[in-house]
Structure formats: C-alpha cells, structure tokens
Amino acid sequence: MLKTMKEAERDACLQVADLMVTAAKTAPKGSGKDTVEACIVTGKEKDLLAEAMRQLGAEYEEEFIIRDAGNVDNSHCVVIIGCRSTPFGLSSCHMCGFENCGEMKKAGTNCVFNLTDLGIAIGSAVSVAADHRIDNRVMYSAGKGALKAGLLSKEVKVCYGIPLGAESKSIYFDRNPGAVLR
C-alpha cells in the first residue's frame, strides 16, 4: 500500500477532528451540566454548509461570510460546536442581565453558563488542533451556516464552525479565497 501525502493530510485532519469533538465533550462545564453538542462535517454535508454560508452572505450582504464559505470548500472537514439553550433554573443569578432564568427564557436569550461552556469547549477543541499542527480557524459564519443547514439539534441556538486543513501555508491566515487543498 502507498499512502500519498495528501491522503495522510486528509486522514490526519479527520483523526484530529475526532479528538477535537472529544475535547469539547470533556471540557469543564458550569455546575456540571452538559449543553454542548458537536459534529464533524465532510462530503455532501460540508457542501451544504458552504452553500448555506453563501446564502447568508448574500442575505446579510457580508462578503466575509462568502469568503469563509470558500475556506470551508477548501477544508478537509469542519468541526461544529454549539450549545443548547438550557436555563439553569436559578431564581437570582443576574449574570445574563435578566432577573432570573424564567425572564431570560421569556426573552429568548441564552444562559451565560451555556455560552461560557461553549467558549471553553471551543478553546479545548482548537488547542487539540494546534497540538497536532492542524490549520484551523474559529468561524462565526460557519456556525451560523450550520444553524441554517440544521446540522445540530433544534435546541442549539449558538454555535461556531472550525474548518480544518493541512497545507504548507494556512488558508485561514491571510484568508486568500484562491487557496485550494485538493
């Protein structure tokens, strides 16, 4: 068997994506409640994500979202990490800016514990990618596209996407939309 460098790069990205999802799962959670969800997107689903991002870019008239869709196209895979909106049921936390969890839920916003847990999970995941020298970038735009494409459960209201690649120069650094991984 002969495995080419391109095949090894792709396989390494997929292996690291598995480790990233696991790191997100095992990251510390506020009060021990786990609201984090994650998935790995490749193939048709990755194409669906990029198309959803292009639609959002056109709808919002934001060129950076369309540029980011090109980065997703040229990535081996994308790790999506989000959190379910699950109020803790506290009577007087105030951390989210509302009197209590009931008021926060009525307003349709997110629990600060959930969002903090999401940030910690993303930090854990990208540290795994960095430890394995896999190019990556945390993208709001890919998260928004993942929500539009329905890649996580309907309870997830906030998520981010982290495309992964392995090139001699990261396509996520200078954001050159012409860089291709294939």
Side-chain angles (χ1 to χ4, degrees):
M1 177 178 127
L2 173 70
K3 187 176 204 178
T4 68
M5 188 176 219
K6 286 290 179 196
E7 291 167 333
E9 292 162 359
R10 179 203 60 223
D11 292 351
C13 286
L14 292 170
Q15 289 171 356
V16 167
D18 286 340
L19 296 172
M20 290 171 69
V21 166
T22 303
K25 181 67 170 178
T26 62
K29 311 292 187 299
S31 298
K33 293 184 181 182
D34 186 6
T35 64
V36 173
E37 287 189 21
C39 66
I40 301 165
V41 183
T42 62
K44 292 184 304 185
E45 287 77 15
K46 185 170 73 79
D47 295 341
L48 179 69
L49 172 61
E51 180 54 31
M53 292 169 68
R54 283 186 187 83
Q55 290 171 7
L56 287 170
E59 178 184 336
Y60 297 165
E61 298 180 359
E62 292 289 353
E63 286 296 319
F64 82 92
I65 299 175
I66 296 167
R67 177 206 59 207
D68 289 356
N71 282 151
V72 165
D73 283 331
N74 292 318
S75 297
H76 292 295
C77 62
V78 182
V79 174
I80 306 294
I81 304 175
C83 64
R84 293 182 300 280
S85 183
T86 307
F88 272 43
L90 302 175
S91 60
S92 61
C93 169
H94 307 281
M95 296 268 300
C96 64
F98 290 92
E99 181 66 27
N100 56 45
C101 292
E103 294 297 316
M104 180 212 61
K105 191 170 182 173
K106 274 198 299 193
T109 190
N110 294 288
C111 175
V112 69
F113 284 104
N114 301 160
L115 296 174
T116 301
D117 291 348
L118 175 59
I120 293 167
I122 290 168
S124 258
V126 297
S127 72
V128 168
D131 288 347
H132 290 86
R133 308 307 177 258
I134 299 296
D135 298 333
N136 68 92
R137 180 136 185 155
V138 177
M139 292 184 178
Y140 150 85
S141 56
K144 194 75 171 160
L147 292 176
K148 182 175 178 64
L151 296 176
L152 294 175
S153 74
K154 294 201 182 303
E155 291 80 29
V156 173
K157 305 296 183 208
V158 179
C159 69
Y160 291 83
I162 310 164
L164 304 180
E167 285 294 312
S168 58
K169 182 181 182 310
S170 174
I171 65 170
Y172 316 117
F173 181 70
D174 66 7
R175 315 306 297 273
N176 177 2
V180 177
L181 284 174
R182 298 191 174 91

